[in-house]
């Protein structure tokens, strides 16, 4: 046991100068593996790679190479299977302030969660649950849902 302890202490001393590189390499390994798993699952679920809209702000003015509207075709809830007959897709274009109204159980929470999830995933450079997506960069997300409103309960 003392020989093992001595070897481990020696190894620790030899690695101490490289600890930052070792931690960085292990972190990159985890990130790469997670990205591979996301891509594999996205392909299986028929998610798309979004186009991030490019625009710059100068004071109060927004300059873009085109529209800065969120435009998503065949968006569906990330927790649902696209091939399930109960899954509905939606085409969404949002530009500016939106007030979403409708009767209870009409899908307001579902579409709000789906839009926010797509924008958040795209902002992270990940695939989104849609056939096609053009999404601007957002600096904040705010989605409020009732505590008893669970998307996975039917």
């Amino acid at each position: 046991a003392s020989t093992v302890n001595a070897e481990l202490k020696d190894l620790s001393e030899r690695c101490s100068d490289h600890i930052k590189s070792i931690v960085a390499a292990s972190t990159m390994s985890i990130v790469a593996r997670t990205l591979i798993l996301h891509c594999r699952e996205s392909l299986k679920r028929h998610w798309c790679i979004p186009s991030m809209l490019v625009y710059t702000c100068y004071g109060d003015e927004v300059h873009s190479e085109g529209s800065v509207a969120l435009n998503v075709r065949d968006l569906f809830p990330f927790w649902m299977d696209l091939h399930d007959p109960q899954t509905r897709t939606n085409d969404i274009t949002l530009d500016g302030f939106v007030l979403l109204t409708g009767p209870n159980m009409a899908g307001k929470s579902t579409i709000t969660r789906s839009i926010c999830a797509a924008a958040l995933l795209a902002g992270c450079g990940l695939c989104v649950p849609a056939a096609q997506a053009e999404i601007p960069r957002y600096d904040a997300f705010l989605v409020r849902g009732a505590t008893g409103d669970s998307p996975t309960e039917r």
Side-chain angles (χ1 to χ4, degrees), residues 121-149:
L121 287 165
C124 294
L126 301 172
C127 297
V128 300
Q132 181 180 2
E134 296 174 344
I135 301 177
R137 295 197 185 278
Y138 293 104
D139 59 359
F141 299 98
L142 176 64
V143 176
R144 187 212 174 268
T147 55
D149 189 11

Side-chain angles (χ1 to χ4, degrees), residues 20-58:
K20 287 183 181 178
S21 297
I22 293 168
V23 169
S26 65
T27 301
M28 281 305 301
S29 173
I30 292 168
V31 169
R33 179 69 179 149
T34 303
L35 184 57
I36 289 167
L37 291 172
H38 172 77
C39 291
R40 187 176 295 154
E41 190 67 18
S42 296
L43 284 171
K44 190 167 54 173
R45 292 173 168 257
H46 302 286
W47 290 16
C48 75
I49 299 172
S51 298
M52 294 301 294
L53 301 176
V54 178
Y55 65 95
T56 54
C57 296
Y58 301 106

